[in-house]
Amino acid sequence: MSRKPVVLITGASGEIGHGLIEALSKTPDRPVITLDLAPLDPGLAGRVRQHYVGSILDPQLLDRILAEYEINLIFHLAAVLSTRGEFAPMTAHKVNVEGTLQMLEFAQKEGESHGQPVVFVYPSSIAAYGLPNLNVKQQAGKVREEQFNTPTTMYGCNKLYGELLGSYYAGHYKQLSIHQVRGKVDFRGLRFPGLISAITAPSGGTSDYAPEMIHAAAQGKPYACFVRPDTRIPFMAMPDAVDSLLRLAECPHERLTRTVYNLGAFSPSAQEIHDEVASAFPDATISFQVDERRQGIVDTWPADVEDSSARRDWGHSPRFGFREAFREYLIPTIRERYAALKS
Ligand code: SER
């Protein structure tokens, strides 16, 4: 009896899942199954072969999926983000670390069952960095993957360890076993900057001030930005994030020189984001009311990242710079979206 070959997305009901399902559904030869605690958005449900409502921490559910499907590509998106994780660190650890471990073990079993390596795409984050203070942040310039790996949030610690776990499964799994079981997980990590989608609003992250500001302005709601105007971290438009997940997944293994890659696109200050939003929505009421605790988290994240390895190895090349992201993608798409919701 043969199982059906599919791509698996965990955390599929989240922001990245939304864009990724849409993109993958354009290639019908790659059917997708999805897993999330929440049901899929009705607009997406028709685009996937099967959606499982359940937890990545449920071994029985994972066994059912293993029995039914042959999986050679996993996008493991499920996570508790950095702000939410500080209110519930144990839960963040459970989901982000134990959940990732379960999914790596699942990938290993899949690989053992069909004999091919399972490509395991893992979004990590700028939260994996922890710069000690603002002076160092200002001097650091574009931060390389191996610098400042001293995160201060539970989410950042979890993501950094998830990267290590992935490298372990890819290169050293059961290295003392006399049977060769290594090489069944082809782990590929990318450290995303803050992501901004025109279609969905984020929840639970600390880079959320940028997307929140623009979504609030488009709906005519006032917004109080929780970081200082001079705060600067890298961001990327969601279509470029989805594109990079797909590019990395498709890259021949031998071209990859690292297991985890930085990704950058543009790096505006909160004031620059404010100015761009205010010029598109002149009636917007945007103020700055700094939340020192959330500010403290963003201040440990780099102002910019060195992403030349991703550009060289697998052709990371974001379509949208700062102005294009706002003028060609975010503003027009958000306008259209809220106008459609009103009518
Ligand atoms: N957007 C994430 C967060 O704010 C960072 O990866 O937690």
Side-chain angles (χ1 to χ4, degrees):
M1 200 183 91
S2 72
R3 296 172 304 164
K4 298 156 230 142
V6 292
V7 175
L8 169 65
I9 306 175
T10 72
S13 301
E15 279 212 285
I16 303 177
H18 205 281
L20 185 60
I21 291 171
E22 266 191 21
L24 280 168
S25 66
K26 291 182 188 137
T27 49
D29 54 319
R30 293 200 109 169
V32 173
I33 64 165
T34 49
L35 169 59
D36 199 291
L37 289 175
L40 268 191
D41 184 311
L44 293 175
R47 297 178 184 241
V48 308
R49 170 76 57 92
Q50 184 166 3
H51 178 64
Y52 291 90
V53 176
S55 169
I56 54 171
L57 291 161
D58 177 351
Q60 271 108 35
L61 176 57
L62 294 182
D63 272 352
R64 259 176 58 206
I65 299 176
L66 180 78
E68 201 152 335
Y69 290 103
E70 180 181 307
I71 293 165
N72 48 25
L73 173 57
I74 297 173
F75 294 95
H76 174 41
L77 310 181
V80 173
L81 297 188
S82 59
T83 288
R84 197 158 287 156
E86 292 312 300
F87 290 101
M90 294 286 283
T91 304
H93 190 279
K94 235 186 190 26
V95 173
N96 298 342
V97 173
E98 288 175 39
T100 297
L101 181 64
Q102 292 285 350
M103 291 314 302
L104 285 164
E105 194 58 33
F106 172 83
Q108 175 70 29
K109 286 190 198 150
E110 275 281 350
E112 286 176 18
S113 75
H114 56 60
Q116 300 301 314
V118 174
V119 173
F120 191 102
V121 181
Y122 179 69
S124 183
S125 162
I126 38 163
Y129 293 106
L131 284 80
N133 57 54
L134 273 179
N135 265 345
V136 173
K137 173 165 170 160
Q138 274 147 16
Q139 309 290 313
K142 286 176 182 269
V143 168
R144 294 193 311 277
E145 282 89 347
E146 60 280 8
Q147 289 182 293
F148 303 110
N149 291 162
T150 45
T152 63
T153 61
M154 180 51 107
Y155 170 71
C157 295
N158 297 164
K159 282 291 176 188
L160 191 59
Y161 179 57
E163 295 174 2
L164 287 174
L165 273 177
S167 298
Y168 168 75
Y169 270 78
H172 307 286
Y173 182 73
K174 290 193 178 170
Q175 57 198 290
L176 298 183
S177 168
I178 50 167
H179 305 292
Q180 168 68 290
V181 285
R182 273 183 285 159
K184 294 292 181 273
V185 179
D186 182 352
F187 179 85
R188 304 174 178 201
L190 13 63
R191 286 196 191 145
F192 275 135
L195 299 181
I196 317 180
S197 168
I199 312 294
T200 51
S203 66
T206 319
S207 60
D208 292 4
Y209 59 91
E212 280 172 2
M213 196 185 293
I214 164 167
H215 280 270
Q219 295 171 87
K221 294 183 184 161
Y223 184 66
C225 177
F226 57 82
V227 295
R228 289 186 316 270
D230 67 324
T231 305
R232 194 181 290 280
I233 57 167
F235 282 98
M236 185 185 280
M238 190 58 84
D240 281 329
V242 169
D243 185 61
S244 52
L245 287 166
L246 295 172
R247 271 179 202 247
L248 179 58
E250 271 147 32
C251 183
H253 179 78
E254 56 282 4
R255 296 237 307 262
L256 302 176
T257 58
R258 326 179 47 93
T259 45
V260 178
Y261 289 87
N262 269 348
L263 293 190
F266 47 89
S267 211
S269 66
Q271 180 69 48
E272 286 163 347
I273 297 170
H274 163 280
D275 294 349
E276 200 58 39
V277 173
S279 82
F281 301 101
D283 297 334
T285 316
I286 305 166
S287 58
F288 286 88
Q289 284 173 33
V290 178
D291 173 337
E292 291 300 341
R293 289 172 295 189
R294 291 180 95 186
Q295 178 77 56
I297 291 177
V298 183
D299 285 345
T300 68
W301 294 349
D304 205 353
V305 290
E306 170 55 56
D307 63 0
S308 53
S309 297
R311 289 174 189 264
R312 185 196 56 226
D313 288 3
W314 47 273
H316 167 58
S317 99
R319 255 184 307 156
F320 299 110
F322 175 53
R323 306 241 178 266
E324 300 82 48
F326 276 79
R327 295 179 191 182
E328 293 166 24
Y329 164 63
L330 290 166
I331 307 283
T333 318
I334 284 181
R335 267 195 216 287
E336 213 174 277
R337 178 165 174 264
Y338 288 114
L341 287 179
K342 258 193 208 159
S343 62

